[in-house]
Amino acid sequence: VASIGLTCKALLSLGFCQSVTVNGLPILLEALKSTKRNSGQGIITVSNHISTLDDPVTWGVLPTRCYLSSRTTRWALGASDIMFTNPVFSTFFRLGQTLETFRGKGIYQSAVDTAIQKLDQGGWVHLYGEGKINQPSAYPTDEQGIVRLPRFKWGVGRVLMETITPPVIIPMWLTGFEGLMPEGRAFPYKYLPRPGARLSISFGTPI
């Protein structure tokens, strides 16, 4: 976890991206320090999902000390058919606190059970409520032309409803990551980050 966190911090700090704007980070840091976590109040961060590099690059904005403890690094749910396709990838993502999630197996599966357990222990779980990447050009709009995120997956509701103590929920909004890692590129470019992106990472008022 620490090595990946430091790599992401270097990517954000050394000019690979044209700009990186961070808003509201103290909101998350205060939640991570809260003594209520010792009594079983977990933390959920939830954001839009616009590229394969949203996680882990987003967490490059955290202070280095956060990478040194599992209490101050997030747990996440990751698709089995993308992240756990061979023993090397499986080991890598499990060590990176990613819970293997199976598409089509519903909300009552081990990854969701474990996410609830982590929250009941005061842990931090990050959710991409859409359940897949939706780059901004594909966002649906309503009859007034207002952009809407696709509806969240039912598993998000189960996580919120079944925790013993309601978790702190911190909404997040990401922009620019679709420029860092655009979808639809041919091999081998689809695996290579594109320099010069303008990234923005915003943390909202806790719910």
Side-chain angles (χ1 to χ4, degrees):
V1 172
S3 60
I4 296 299
L6 292 171
T7 300
C8 294
K9 183 173 285 295
L11 184 140
L12 295 177
S13 304
L14 299 179
F16 188 85
C17 299
Q18 186 169 342
S19 64
V20 180
T21 302
V22 182
N23 303 299
L25 179 58
I27 293 170
L28 175 59
L29 299 181
E30 284 300 312
L32 291 175
K33 292 191 299 184
S34 173
T35 56
K36 293 182 179 180
R37 299 182 69 194
N38 298 327
S39 302
Q41 184 178 48
I43 300 166
I44 291 177
T45 48
V46 58
S47 74
N48 56 323
H49 195 10
I50 54 178
S51 86
T52 55
L53 286 184
D54 296 348
D55 191 312
V57 171
T58 296
W59 311 120
V61 304
L62 294 173
T64 302
R65 66 178 183 275
C66 289
Y67 309 139
L68 304 179
S69 170
S70 62
R71 292 283 286 177
T72 50
T73 51
R74 62 90 192 104
W75 288 86
L77 281 70
S80 177
D81 59 322
I82 295 175
M83 296 182 173
F84 295 85
T85 55
N86 61 57
V88 174
F89 283 4
S90 296
T91 299
F92 176 82
F93 286 111
R94 288 193 180 99
L95 290 174
Q97 297 187 183
T98 302
L99 306 173
E100 185 175 9
T101 310
F102 296 90
R103 299 183 193 272
K105 289 197 173 182
I107 65 175
Y108 296 101
Q109 58 174 293
S110 177
V112 182
D113 296 341
T114 302
I116 294 168
Q117 180 185 46
K118 295 296 181 185
L119 290 167
D120 284 337
Q121 295 169 349
W124 167 22
V125 174
H126 182 72
L127 299 174
Y128 293 107
E130 304 153 84
K132 65 175 184 177
I133 293 169
N134 287 291
Q135 298 205 314
S137 59
Y139 283 169
T141 56
D142 63 17
E143 62 277 3
Q144 298 175 326
I146 298 173
V147 171
R148 305 288 187 187
L149 283 179
R151 72 166 179 83
F152 283 7
K153 298 298 184 181
W154 292 109
V156 175
R158 184 187 168 215
V159 169
L160 295 176
M161 293 296 294
E162 293 194 10
T163 49
I164 296 171
T165 301
V168 173
I169 304 169
I170 301 176
M172 296 174 57
W173 188 254
L174 309 178
T175 66
F177 284 80
E178 75 279 11
L180 179 66
M181 205 68 169
E183 292 282 284
R185 292 182 296 168
F187 177 87
Y189 304 104
K190 65 179 181 179
Y191 297 113
L192 302 175
R194 180 180 289 173
R198 295 175 178 268
L199 307 184
S200 174
I201 302 163
S202 297
F203 300 84
T205 303
I207 299 171

